[in-house]
Amino acid sequence: MPTISKKSTAMPASAIRKFVPLADAAKAAGTKVYHLNVGAPDIKSPKCALDAVVKKCGELDHISYTNSAGLMELRQGLVEKYYRKIGINIEVPEILIQVAGSEAFAVAMQLTCDEGDEIIVFEPFYTNYNTFAYLYGITLKAVHTDIHQDFALPPVEEMEKLVTPRTKAVLISNPSNPSGTLYSRKDLESIGELCRKHDLFLISDEVYREYCFTDEPHFSAINLPGLEQNVILVDSVSKRYNLCGARIGCVISHNKEVMAAAMKYAQSRLCPPVLGQYASIGALDTPQEYFDETVKEYIKRRDCAVDMLNAMPGVYAPRPKGAFYTIAELPVDNAESFVKWMLSEFRLDGATTMVTPVSSFYKTPGEGLNQVRIAYVLEVPELEKAMKILAAGLLAYPGRTL
Amino acid sequence: MPTISKKSTAMPASAIRKFVPLADAAKAAGTKVYHLNVGAPDIKSPKCALDAVVKKCGELDHISYTNSAGLMELRQGLVEKYYRKIGINIEVPEILIQVAGSEAFAVAMQLTCDEGDEIIVFEPFYTNYNTFAYLYGITLKAVHTDIHQDFALPPVEEMEKLVTPRTKAVLISNPSNPSGTLYSRKDLESIGELCRKHDLFLISDEVYREYCFTDEPHFSAINLPGLEQNVILVDSVSKRYNLCGARIGCVISHNKEVMAAAMKYAQSRLCPPVLGQYASIGALDTPQEYFDETVKEYIKRRDCAVDMLNAMPGVYAPRPKGAFYTIAELPVDNAESFVKWMLSEFRLDGATTMVTPVSSFYKTPGEGLNQVRIAYVLEVPELEKAMKILAAGLLAYPGRTL
């Protein structure tokens, strides 16, 4: 009997999705599960996006390949109708459509690093960065940020300590998944300084750009002066417009060498999903009010979640300024055991709540063991119910440390 | 200025898509280009597939993620409405939806091989096998097959000579892209014998299964007795139903370890494109007549292409039994130069023909230098025009060897 590769055997399972079987079992047994574990919002997609797909499928008689870089109409539309409007000035050859943000950052990592090379990240960081780093033999070096300091960046000298001759890039998610931290222009400038000094790429994952809860606008890394050749922007169309399943993202850079190489990766998988590209073209006509409404809604949810969390004895959760996540520190021995216990043992009126343990979002061993990520992707009344269950669960949990 | 990874710099450009800029330039200058270079058929998608998307987009208010393994309705539908009907008996846990055949074989290669491991292929083979082998550090060892023997497999002893301690899998495309060769049950049995004897995986890429031009039905590797733990089937829903842009395929195996590891890769990219999954669910209701008509149409086109090719002085093209490609040997010094010359220099009544040089489909240096792949994806009248241009081009080409 043949054996699978060592790489595949040792590959870590998704920290976010690995408890799905427990949730499925709970549901099969009749339990209602409140999902605060995945960033899968319940917000409606813009109607213009779905209408565009309906129209195209009515007109076309077959769905053929597109150019590997994506449909020109979509690339041009993004440049003119979206990026220009928000002050990101790029030309069509500087944008390439990807199979969602996932492909975009996976390609960016490969574009910058050979096996054995290193990328500086800020922990806690999106756990799939880890997965792809593992697959490509890249080492992630984590700058630690602390929940009790609102995950603020340390001074540039602290970050610089991680730079070695193998360091090729800095990878930041802004606003951050999983912490919701929004990095300021000043933060970006200090990271930019590091990249300029050491000739590093700056991979900026901005898929949550439209979900910022402050008055100052989001500052994109691509607008850092003097870093035109360093910055690779990772973006998601499907995340922005609540079309997560459409799987459309993009990679953007002023660096010609980066874009030429990105095209080779793009050609190897032929083309991005075409129906999702049609939805994305339609989504470009989304009115500003859509985002305004969405942000207003998320602020309500964030405040609901954060207020209720901090009212629970022994729980601490910062009030994030972006994305739709917050990290909470819980009075538990081990967040992973707690999550499992909630799914398999704890019920309140026939329901339970699912959250994500975040220890695997940290690189430093032992960090985040009592923390969970909460995606506030439910409407307030549902979110309240989910939080009440979490509160009750914390009181009943045998591994409670308070 | 930062520099991109060595891996990205050295990565080969797509052999199929690298001449696209020349074709674009020709078109921009007003030249009509007959595309026989990509396997992008002009056959209509089944109406039920497009209707299903229209219906879903009318009903839904947002496009969310699906399970990483794909929608249960699609997996179950494929098992019951498609595979069972064609004599492939699998259960739902044995099928996982992928981002087209491209992701399916890329994952299968990683599932079976670590860096430095080897896969046996049959040259000429699909050039993107090379690209992914390159990215994963896998060595392809090619069993040579000859155009003048209709690309028939050599005896098993010949193949066995390529087996080393690092060999982990055999990868076959049946029917073959690029040669259109259809492998018989006997062929598969001899490959299966090799895999059993040396504990190798057999990755069987059957994306062209419904395009067979013989009376005997296609024999799937997954039905090889005693090889249940060895075979990994790579399939494409979007290719089968002329929905190439939908980007939906699957990986199938009875081997539980393979499927569990495939799920980890699937989770790393969250989920397959959802709109394409809807199209695929709709496509499951495609009547058998659709395939009968399509096959009839391809036989006409194949005969047109092959007859016209063999009527050109110095040209030889076998009559393939499957897929929608044939390889032709041309009286030219170098097929790549010829293809470039056709695109940039040769015009007949303001038109030219684009085909794909196949030397990069061979692993053995020097093989296939005067061969091209012709995808007969145009209707007969158009195909005839394209062939006339090719014939005239061959007579005028300065590097003609006849």
Side-chain angles (χ1 to χ4, degrees), chain B residues 88-126:
Chain B
I88 293 179
N89 292 306
I90 50 166
E91 304 295 327
V92 169
E94 297 172 333
I95 179 170
L96 204 146
I97 306 303
Q98 299 276 285
V99 189
S102 297
E103 185 187 36
F105 73 74
V107 165
M109 288 169 89
Q110 292 184 88
L111 284 172
T112 55
C113 288
D114 284 300
E115 217 180 305
D117 284 342
E118 296 168 3
I119 297 181
I120 293 174
V121 292
F122 303 89
E123 69 176 12
F125 56 86
Y126 179 45

Side-chain angles (χ1 to χ4, degrees), chain B residues 153-180:
Chain B
L153 292 186
V156 67
E157 303 76 49
E158 276 303 305
M159 307 185 207
E160 198 165 14
K161 285 181 188 160
L162 296 181
V163 176
T164 78
R166 297 305 301 256
T167 311
K168 294 294 156 67
V170 174
L171 167 55
I172 191 163
S173 133
N174 183 26
S176 161
N177 173 5
S179 71

Side-chain angles (χ1 to χ4, degrees), chain A residues 1-14 17-18 20 24 38-46 50-51 53-55 57-58 60-68 99 102 105 107 109-115 117 126 128 131-132 135-136 168 199-201 208 229-230 239 242-247 255 257-258 261 264-276 279, chain B residues 1-14 17-18 20 24 38-46 50-51 53-55 57-58 60-68 99 102 105 107 109-115 117 126 128 131-132 135-136 168 199-201 208 229-230 239 242-247 255 257-258 261 264-276 279:
Chain A
M1 182 168 154
T3 49
I4 65 169
S5 62
K6 292 181 201 81
K7 175 171 93 168
S8 300
T9 304
M11 182 175 177
S14 160
R17 297 195 168 210
K18 73 178 169 182
V20 170
D24 288 345
V38 268
D42 61 341
I43 308 267
K44 287 181 184 169
S45 313
L50 296 171
D51 286 352
V53 179
V54 169
K55 186 158 178 285
C57 286
L60 289 172
D61 57 15
H62 79 297
I63 305 295
S64 53
Y65 294 116
T66 66
N67 187 294
S68 299
V99 189
S102 298
F105 73 75
V107 165
M109 288 169 88
Q110 292 184 86
L111 284 171
T112 55
C113 289
D114 284 301
E115 216 179 308
D117 284 342
Y126 180 45
N128 274 332
T131 316
F132 287 100
L135 287 175
Y136 307 141
K168 295 295 157 66
D199 273 339
L200 308 178
F201 283 106
Y208 296 100
Q229 300 305 309
N230 302 64
K239 199 100 201 181
N242 294 295
L243 292 163
C244 294
R247 313 309 294 133
N255 184 315
E257 204 187 16
V258 164
K264 293 193 283 186
Y265 287 92
Q267 288 179 332
S268 73
R269 51 70 170 141
L270 310 184
C271 81
V274 175
L275 295 166
Chain B
M1 184 167 152
T3 49
I4 66 169
S5 62
K6 293 182 199 80
K7 176 172 92 169
S8 301
T9 304
M11 183 175 177
S14 160
R17 298 195 168 209
K18 73 177 170 183
V20 170
D24 288 345
V38 268
D42 62 342
I43 307 267
K44 287 182 186 170
S45 312
L50 295 172
D51 287 350
V53 179
V54 170
K55 188 158 177 287
C57 286
L60 290 172
D61 58 15
H62 80 296
I63 306 295
S64 54
Y65 293 116
T66 67
N67 187 294
S68 299
V99 189
S102 297
F105 73 74
V107 165
M109 288 169 89
Q110 292 184 88
L111 284 172
T112 55
C113 288
D114 284 300
E115 217 180 305
D117 284 342
Y126 179 45
N128 274 331
T131 315
F132 287 101
L135 287 176
Y136 308 141
K168 294 294 156 67
D199 273 338
L200 308 178
F201 283 105
Y208 297 98
Q229 300 305 309
N230 303 64
K239 199 101 202 179
N242 295 295
L243 292 162
C244 293
R247 312 311 292 136
N255 184 317
E257 204 187 16
V258 164
K264 293 193 283 187
Y265 287 92
Q267 288 179 332
S268 73
R269 53 67 171 143
L270 308 185
C271 80
V274 175
L275 295 166

Side-chain angles (χ1 to χ4, degrees), chain A residues 216-236:
Chain A
E216 36 174 344
H218 178 273
F219 180 78
S220 172
I222 202 153
N223 285 334
L224 282 169
L227 280 157
E228 291 75 16
Q229 300 305 309
N230 302 64
V231 175
I232 302 176
L233 199 61
V234 163
D235 212 347
S236 168

Side-chain angles (χ1 to χ4, degrees), chain A residues 185-367:
Chain A
R185 177 172 186 143
K186 207 169 136 279
D187 289 330
L188 269 297
E189 281 170 348
S190 77
I191 296 170
E193 189 188 318
L194 186 76
C195 292
R196 194 182 303 108
K197 184 167 168 192
H198 295 279
D199 273 339
L200 308 178
F201 283 106
L202 171 49
I203 305 171
S204 187
D205 175 347
E206 302 181 1
V207 306
Y208 296 100
R209 185 189 304 108
E210 294 302 328
Y211 307 118
C212 292
F213 314 138
T214 54
D215 289 334
E216 36 174 344
H218 178 273
F219 180 78
S220 172
I222 202 153
N223 285 334
L224 282 169
L227 280 157
E228 291 75 16
Q229 300 305 309
N230 302 64
V231 175
I232 302 176
L233 199 61
V234 163
D235 212 347
S236 168
V237 180
S238 39
K239 199 100 201 181
R240 183 158 64 238
Y241 299 102
N242 294 295
L243 292 163
C244 294
R247 313 309 294 133
I248 298 295
C250 59
V251 69
I252 292 176
S253 180
H254 294 307
N255 184 315
K256 288 200 168 87
E257 204 187 16
V258 164
M259 295 312 290
M263 186 62 176
K264 293 193 283 186
Y265 287 92
Q267 288 179 332
S268 73
R269 51 70 170 141
L270 310 184
C271 81
V274 175
L275 295 166
Q277 290 189 72
Y278 293 144
S280 302
I281 292 170
L284 292 170
D285 293 325
T286 304
Q288 182 55 37
E289 296 77 56
Y290 176 85
F291 293 115
D292 297 343
E293 288 299 316
T294 305
V295 164
K296 228 188 280 174
E297 173 66 20
Y298 276 130
I299 291 177
K300 264 198 286 182
R301 295 178 183 189
R302 175 198 61 178
D303 291 342
C304 165
V306 170
D307 291 344
M308 289 186 76
L309 283 164
N310 286 313
M312 298 175 200
V315 173
Y316 172 68
R319 195 174 303 268
K321 290 184 184 150
F324 37 69
Y325 307 102
T326 187
I327 288 183
E329 194 173 73
L330 306 180
V332 299
D333 55 348
N334 181 289
E336 195 154 312
S337 311
F338 173 68
V339 168
K340 278 189 214 166
W341 177 83
M342 285 291 286
L343 287 173
S344 45
E345 310 266 340
F346 186 74
R347 304 291 181 264
L348 186 70
D349 300 332
T352 194
T353 294
M354 184 173 185
V355 295
T356 300
V358 295
S359 61
S360 60
F361 291 62
Y362 286 87
K363 192 82 191 169
T364 311
E367 285 292 341

